[in-house]
Amino acid sequence: MVWGFASIDDRSIDRSIGADRARASNLATSIEFPRERRSIDRSIVDRGAGRRSSVGIVARASSASTMPTETARTHARGLVDYLNDAWTAYHATRATCEALARRGFVELDERATWSLARGGKYFYTRNASAVVAFAVGGGYEPGDGFVIVGAHTDSPCPKLKPNTRVEGGDEVRVRVQPYGGGLWHTWFDRDLGIAGRVVVKSSHTGEILHRLVRIDRAVCRIPTLAIHLDRNVNSEGMKVNFQQHMAPILATRAKAEAKDDDEGGEKTTASDGKGSSERHHPLLLTLLAKELGCAPGDIVDFDLQLCDTQPSAIGGAQNEFIYSGRLDNLASCYTSLHALMNASTDEALADARGVRMIMHFDHEEVGSESSSGAAGAMTTDAVKRIAAALSQGSVEGLDERTRRASFCVSSDMAHALHPNYADRHEPAHAPKMHGGLVIKHNANQRYATDAVTAFMFREIGERAGVPVQEFVVRSDTGCGSTIGPIFSTRTGIRTVDVGAAQLSMHSIREVCGADDIDHAVKHLTAVYLHFIDLDRTLIVDGAIGTLCRPCDVFESATSKLSLDVRDDAADDARTYAE
């Protein structure tokens, strides 16, 4: 498979690799679980037993630093470069895989036989728009859990229809359809390029290639209707009919069909596109062919979308913001990628248990129901196959045991408090930018978070020294959703939904806090390094009937299990009650 027509700029990941490597070597000790807690609600301390309950601790978010660290600045610049490379889900997947390959991860093919080893690092793609990457702990044993961070590579956008040609009129327009729930009015009057993937069949050799393409100059535009012709637009709002109003203008018909191309000096005629010209205007095919280095007639099909050509940037009076499209959810892809790479050094993996994994799914914005989406078989396929490949011979209940010991952080962007629309937010749950990752809650299971998974994520963040926030929608407002509920339903894996706070979600141009990128990398790295140890201290299932360890372990008033005092013998002992 040919990934694309040009290599990705290595700046997208490498800027932050140096800082990550310097920090990764001591992460396992710098984020140790201390004997003395930073903060604790004294009302839940068990004074009778003189111990703190493992299920009663309330973590508080530490205050966000007012001055960004050099690591925070490095990650902010790294995310901007990543975003500028990752115009589509296909380009994001390629950028992620190139970064993994540079850090020693070995590419796998789902159609081939796998040979996996403890301490090994691997990745593979599905549909070229989703990626799975994982690192196996040196101390892995059959039945060990997977620690997974899930994110998604897609964002709302106008996508080109199978037949893009529009007949009639004085302009060459392109037929598009809505992908996801975008703020479509923000796409008007923007300088737009075109990007995605193309299937090319060589007219000379007959070879069929899968290619990525990106036209990164302003080749089309969706013009707004002048206020003189829409006098009530400011009082009544802009009402966008996607079918009628969103077809971008590629050129005037006179220039497209009778004039030489200004850049290439090539005459465009209907025969340039051969049979494809019946479905697409020859000018569109010619633009794509120039980027791909092929003949227009060699283009047999494509998945293409419109993209904003304005580069992502760091902004704000104190350089405290990141301005970009696709922050939802490429910011989570970037931070989970770096967290995995931090937690996959040889030193970090040497004695580690379990498997550390990222899963970047496609199609979250349209329901996740696809072969490369979270509602498909990608997760169960991965966990079952990896566990089997790492185990010698048949192991009873291997797949089920593995999934029940696993944990997923579903990382998707969250809503920050909007200062101009504060009434749209729940007053006691108003996340702020620079305030750390946001834990998302919903009583109706629009998010997969529950008390146990929220506690574990919050606890690890507090001990790693990063702030944590909470979010729930107003009771009179509907709640969105993400991959978390789908993931946990399909797999049975415990899941927490989180995300960095942002404004303008689903706009062509979004904004998030620069500091939160570093907060996310640090928090997710700590989850990889320390979840399995924390999980062993909090027992939820397995002690209601005859199986317990010991009988009073679930009673917060008499618990003998403490996060601060480690008793491996008591922790591992399971006895039958009389």
Side-chain angles (χ1 to χ4, degrees):
M1 178 180 290
V2 177
W3 273 96
F5 65 92
S7 62
I8 291 291
D9 186 347
D10 284 349
R11 295 175 307 160
S12 63
I13 300 297
D14 286 343
R15 272 186 168 175
S16 49
I17 283 179
D20 282 345
R21 282 178 173 163
R23 193 173 59 174
S25 62
N26 61 5
L27 269 172
T29 55
S30 65
I31 312 177
E32 286 288 350
F33 285 6
R35 187 173 296 273
E36 292 300 324
R37 299 286 307 283
R38 273 192 174 82
S39 60
I40 200 156
D41 187 337
R42 295 295 175 185
S43 66
I44 53 82
V45 174
D46 176 14
R47 292 175 174 81
R51 297 180 185 272
R52 303 183 184 110
S53 165
S54 64
V55 296
I57 295 173
V58 177
R60 297 171 181 162
S62 59
S63 59
S65 172
T66 57
M67 295 298 293
T69 64
E70 182 57 35
T71 304
R73 287 190 288 267
T74 299
H75 276 306
R77 292 192 297 266
L79 173 59
V80 165
D81 290 335
Y82 180 81
L83 290 163
N84 284 330
D85 286 336
W87 274 25
T88 72
Y90 309 108
H91 291 84
T93 297
R94 182 174 68 178
T96 296
C97 291
E98 289 178 345
L100 291 166
R102 289 195 295 270
R103 295 293 285 267
F105 284 71
V106 176
E107 186 172 11
L108 301 172
D109 184 346
E110 284 195 277
R111 296 166 295 184
T113 301
W114 288 1
S115 178
L116 308 181
R118 289 166 176 75
K121 300 181 289 186
Y122 310 93
F123 73 93
Y124 62 91
T125 64
R126 184 173 286 193
N127 192 43
S129 62
V131 59
V132 177
F134 60 97
V136 184
Y140 173 86
E141 295 293 339
D144 280 356
F146 286 46
V147 181
I148 304 167
V149 180
H152 65 89
T153 58
D154 61 319
S155 301
C157 64
K159 290 203 172 188
L160 275 62
K161 290 183 176 179
N163 298 330
T164 63
R165 189 164 187 160
V166 181
E167 297 294 345
D170 295 329
E171 290 79 28
V172 175
R173 292 179 294 157
V174 178
R175 296 185 188 276
V176 294
Q177 57 186 323
Y179 178 84
L183 289 172
W184 301 125
H185 68 274
T186 66
W187 286 79
F188 285 75
D189 299 329
R190 302 291 299 189
D191 298 336
L192 302 176
I194 299 173
R197 67 172 174 182
V198 180
V199 179
V200 177
K201 182 177 182 180
S202 173
S203 56
H204 299 293
T205 65
E207 184 180 14
I208 302 174
L209 300 175
H210 176 274
R211 304 286 300 275
L212 300 194
V213 66
R214 186 176 74 173
I215 302 174
D216 57 5
R217 64 183 182 90
V219 295
C220 55
R221 192 177 180 91
I222 306 170
T224 307
L225 183 64
I227 194 170
H228 311 81
L229 305 177
D230 190 8
R231 292 290 186 179
N232 298 324
V233 64
N234 288 329
S235 59
E236 298 179 0
M238 187 175 182
K239 299 178 177 62
V240 178
N241 181 310
F242 205 100
Q243 175 70 20
Q244 184 177 352
H245 302 145
M246 289 287 290
I249 296 175
L250 194 63
T252 60
R253 195 167 297 278
K255 288 286 186 180
E257 296 181 352
K259 300 291 185 180
D260 289 344
D261 184 358
D262 290 337
E263 292 193 355
E266 296 179 4
K267 186 106 169 180
T268 303
T269 65
S271 62
D272 289 339
K274 297 183 179 179
S276 296
S277 65
E278 297 178 2
R279 298 169 53 200
H280 313 291
H281 195 280
L283 179 58
L284 174 61
L285 297 175
T286 299
L287 289 171
L288 295 170
K290 285 182 179 179
E291 294 293 336
L292 293 165
C294 69
D298 291 349
I299 297 172
V300 294
D301 218 330
F302 53 62
D303 291 321
L304 297 174
Q305 66 188 59
L306 302 184
C307 300
D308 188 9
T309 60
Q310 183 178 356
S312 305
I314 296 174
Q318 300 295 324
N319 291 320
E320 67 267 45
F321 300 124
I322 296 175
Y323 302 140
S324 177
R326 307 176 306 284
L327 286 174
D328 175 19
N329 188 36
L330 293 185
S332 297
C333 291
Y334 175 88
T335 54
S336 59
L337 166 65
H338 274 267
L340 179 65
M341 293 192 298
N342 284 350
S344 300
T345 63
D346 292 342
E347 181 181 358
L349 291 176
D351 299 316
R353 298 287 297 269
V355 174
R356 297 163 181 175
M357 173 185 283
I358 57 172
M359 301 197 76
H360 293 174
F361 300 99
D362 196 3
H363 302 134
E364 186 274 346
E365 298 293 354
V366 293
S368 295
E369 294 189 351
S370 70
S371 63
S372 51
M378 198 165 78
T379 304
T380 52
D381 287 351
V383 172
K384 185 175 183 178
R385 186 170 185 182
I386 293 167
L390 291 170
S391 304
Q392 299 296 324
S394 177
V395 179
E396 189 279 325
L398 177 62
D399 180 41
E400 294 82 1
R401 289 167 51 199
T402 299
R403 285 187 281 125
R404 291 306 300 144
S406 298
F407 182 69
C408 175
V409 178
S410 165
S411 183
D412 199 356
M413 300 296 279
H415 298 292
L417 173 67
H418 197 303
N420 298 334
Y421 299 90
D423 60 312
R424 304 296 181 91
H425 299 263
E426 210 289 320
H429 302 83
K432 298 174 176 60
M433 289 185 284
H434 314 306
L437 286 176
V438 180
I439 303 175
K440 306 176 188 180
H441 304 261
N442 183 261
N444 296 311
Q445 293 297 297
R446 298 292 288 171
Y447 299 125
T449 306
D450 61 24
V452 173
T453 60
F455 162 75
M456 289 180 168
F457 189 80
R458 188 186 305 113
E459 178 73 7
I460 291 173
E462 183 188 58
R463 294 180 177 192
V466 292
V468 186
Q469 306 182 81
E470 314 283 338
F471 170 79
V472 66
V473 297
R474 290 172 56 97
S475 298
D476 56 2
T477 303
C479 182
S481 191
T482 181
I483 64 173
I486 298 169
F487 184 98
S488 60
T489 299
R490 295 294 191 276
T491 66
I493 292 175
R494 295 166 292 173
T495 302
V496 61
D497 275 301
V498 308
Q502 71 162 93
L503 295 173
S504 305
M505 187 178 291
H506 288 195
S507 170
I508 195 172
R509 197 77 175 170
E510 302 169 325
V511 57
C512 72
D515 289 352
D516 286 329
I517 305 308
D518 187 54
H519 290 152
V521 172
K522 189 174 183 181
H523 199 150
L524 297 177
T525 301
V527 171
Y528 281 129
L529 294 175
H530 297 299
F531 170 78
I532 289 179
D533 286 337
L534 177 61
D535 189 38
R536 296 174 69 245
T537 70
L538 178 58
I539 312 305
V540 177
D541 297 308
I544 295 176
T546 59
L547 187 63
C548 63
R549 63 150 136 171
C551 296
D552 63 353
V553 74
F554 299 99
E555 301 298 329
S556 59
T558 59
S559 176
K560 296 181 180 179
L561 188 62
S562 170
L563 292 179
D564 300 322
V565 180
R566 185 71 174 270
D567 185 348
D568 289 336
D571 187 46
D572 290 335
R574 285 185 181 268
T575 60
Y576 288 93
E578 296 181 357

